[in-house]
Amino acid sequence: MVAPSKFPFLHLPHLARNEVLRQLTPFEIIILSLCSKSANKLCKSIQKRETNSGCCGNGNDIELKFSSRNEITLKFRDPRLTTWSFYFDDSIISSSFKVMKDLHTSSWTPKVIERWILYLLDLFNASLNKLHLNSQYFGIEENKRIINAFGTKGSMTTFALENGNVKGKEDEELIQILI
Amino acid sequence: MSCEEPTTSPTPENNITVVSSDGKEFLLDLKLTEQSETLARLISNFEYDRTDVKKDPVPLGNITSAQMQKIIEWLQHHRYYPKWEQNDIHYSTSFTFETWVEEYLNIPNNEMFELLNAANYLNIPRLFSTICRIMASRITGKSAEQIRTVLNIKTDVKNDVYTGIPIQEDSSSSEDGMSEISLSPSPPPI
């Protein structure tokens, strides 16, 4: 029986590896970056070196949204100005959250989110610049913890309060904290 | 046929001879060489497009005869195609290829790898880009384990028992951020 032949991707010339990566979506870049240390370094090195490298270019932005959808949004400064969103959906296994195909995270806690954010910032050479809070799903104390955890990360320039005024006085207090 | 193995007949004026790494000679129509920036530059530098210049065989030390045959097939098929222009649009969620291209590149992975290297060496942008898109299409929608298989990437990280996601093996890997994602089933809340 003949073994299937190999395509040693990491041994390709730089130009060829870069061209393949340029064709991939952020989802595939993330999956590829998780394959091995070498693949991870390759993804990051190309992103930081090239300005015309698909979703791997410089100057990308990340938004973090806290709502029922548990969402991280990546905005890419590519020719399409594409936005990609990651929804941390509850999976069938109640104790894990599905991030994307075959990729689960253990929970939607600030620690896990922080790890995700730091990983994506590094991988896509991006900045976390917008934090969406939500009064409908979180109380004042939870929102305070979110602000403390993420409000000072990266180049945060914008806070958005969604479903504001739902809790009246609490929202006013939250706005005061943000101001 | 614009490409033939050399015969005893005199070399036509509009051809050049290239020699593969295993010593086989190929007669190439100058029109075909326009698709290879490497060959086109060489022909221009040595003025091989002039009829009064003696054309020495061009050694291609990085290209085997089998690869050269395959490349000539590509050049002939695209002989009358407009000059290739790099597309600024990058990633795609779906890939489509001409039927001819799909059949042409329906080859084992190791041959695909060698052909991509040859396309890179000869600087044939359309072939280079097409093979890269084919490889990207084979990655799209795959899990990390499947991508490792397709791209022959050896696992150098452990998988988390609970999530199946790679986790850091030692402190030296923490810098690259590997598997800082979902390290444990129950991360401590802040």
Side-chain angles (χ1 to χ4, degrees):
Chain A
M1 187 176 164
V2 180
S5 59
K6 304 291 186 183
F7 190 96
F9 176 69
L10 297 176
H11 294 162
L12 280 173
H14 162 70
L15 274 177
R17 290 184 307 194
N18 193 5
E19 182 63 18
V20 174
L21 289 186
R22 208 171 64 90
Q23 308 282 346
L24 300 178
T25 68
F27 297 96
E28 273 92 40
I29 293 283
I30 292 171
I31 296 283
L32 179 60
S33 75
L34 294 170
C35 284
S36 76
K37 292 176 190 172
S38 302
N40 180 275
K41 283 177 183 169
L42 171 69
C43 291
K44 287 198 290 191
S45 68
I46 286 178
Q47 290 149 24
K48 284 164 186 167
R49 210 164 42 228
E50 307 294 334
T51 55
N52 184 25
S53 50
C55 65
C56 303
N58 291 314
N60 300 313
D61 293 329
I62 287 179
E63 292 183 16
L64 180 56
K65 297 183 182 182
F66 289 88
S67 67
S68 60
R69 303 182 74 182
N70 300 328
E71 180 180 352
I72 294 175
T73 298
L74 289 160
K75 290 187 173 179
F76 293 101
R77 300 267 173 87
D78 65 5
R80 294 177 184 168
L81 296 173
T82 318
T83 295
W84 298 80
S85 293
F86 299 79
Y87 300 109
F88 287 64
D89 296 330
D90 283 302
S91 70
I92 298 169
I93 309 165
S94 58
S95 56
S96 74
F97 288 72
K98 182 176 182 181
V99 182
M100 62 182 85
K101 181 180 171 63
D102 293 334
L103 191 58
H104 295 76
T105 191
S106 50
S107 59
W108 180 257
T109 64
K111 192 67 184 173
V112 170
I113 301 166
E114 185 179 12
R115 285 174 176 170
W116 260 105
I117 291 290
L118 290 174
Y119 188 79
L120 295 175
L121 292 178
D122 192 34
L123 186 61
F124 293 108
N125 202 19
S127 301
L128 175 62
N129 73 341
K130 193 170 183 179
L131 182 60
H132 295 250
L133 302 171
N134 197 306
S135 288
Q136 189 175 356
Y137 300 103
F138 300 101
I140 181 75
E141 292 306 319
E142 287 167 313
N143 274 328
K144 277 183 187 174
R145 282 205 296 273
I146 290 168
I147 292 168
N148 287 335
F150 299 103
T152 55
K153 292 254 183 288
S155 55
M156 186 74 67
T157 55
T158 308
F159 292 92
L161 178 61
E162 293 171 7
N163 294 307
N165 210 24
V166 172
K167 294 175 181 169
K169 199 173 177 181
E170 281 193 3
D171 285 346
E172 287 178 24
E173 187 182 343
L174 194 61
I175 291 167
Q176 286 300 321
I177 294 168
L178 292 175
I179 291 172
Chain B
M1 290 282 283
S2 56
C3 169
E4 302 165 348
E5 290 186 35
T7 63
T8 52
S9 59
T11 304
E13 290 178 351
N14 289 333
N15 290 343
I16 63 162
T17 301
V18 296
V19 186
S20 61
S21 60
D22 47 354
K24 198 166 182 180
E25 294 188 348
F26 295 85
L27 203 56
L28 264 182
D29 188 330
L30 287 182
K31 174 72 180 168
L32 295 184
T33 64
E34 291 172 5
Q35 297 175 57
S36 161
E37 292 179 17
T38 302
L39 289 177
R41 190 174 297 116
L42 184 143
I43 288 163
S44 172
N45 288 345
F46 286 97
E47 298 185 322
Y48 282 174
D49 47 349
R50 286 174 49 178
T51 54
D52 58 335
V53 173
K54 181 179 179 293
K55 299 169 191 168
D56 293 325
V58 178
L60 299 175
N62 289 356
I63 314 285
T64 66
S65 56
Q67 291 162 9
M68 200 62 220
Q69 290 274 18
K70 191 77 177 167
I71 285 169
I72 289 170
E73 188 184 345
W74 175 273
L75 298 179
Q76 285 177 334
H77 180 81
H78 295 91
R79 181 187 182 100
Y80 298 111
Y81 275 51
K83 189 175 167 56
W84 172 257
E85 290 183 13
Q86 180 68 49
N87 192 345
D88 280 341
I89 300 300
H90 303 304
Y91 44 83
S92 172
T93 52
S94 62
F95 296 88
T96 53
F97 301 94
E98 287 178 31
T99 306
W100 184 88
V101 169
E102 284 183 349
E103 290 172 1
Y104 174 84
L105 291 175
N106 184 22
I107 54 179
N109 279 333
N110 59 334
E111 287 181 28
M112 184 89 85
F113 178 80
E114 289 167 1
L115 192 60
L116 179 52
N117 275 306
N120 183 50
Y121 177 71
L122 289 176
N123 206 345
I124 305 171
R126 191 190 303 273
L127 176 58
F128 178 81
S129 181
T130 301
I131 297 175
C132 289
R133 287 183 67 236
I134 287 271
M135 290 316 301
S137 73
R138 291 182 181 179
I139 296 172
T140 299
K142 298 279 196 304
S143 68
E145 191 52 48
Q146 290 168 323
I147 290 175
R148 283 192 196 105
T149 304
V150 170
L151 299 184
N152 195 31
I153 296 174
K154 289 188 172 57
T155 309
D156 55 4
V157 288
K158 289 179 183 171
N159 287 341
D160 184 276
V161 175
Y162 182 75
T163 63
I165 300 170
I167 58 173
Q168 65 183 70
E169 284 179 324
D170 50 50
S171 57
S172 64
S173 64
S174 61
E175 281 186 7
D176 62 19
M178 288 301 297
S179 31
E180 281 296 312
I181 296 168
S182 61
L183 284 174
S184 66
S186 304
I190 291 175

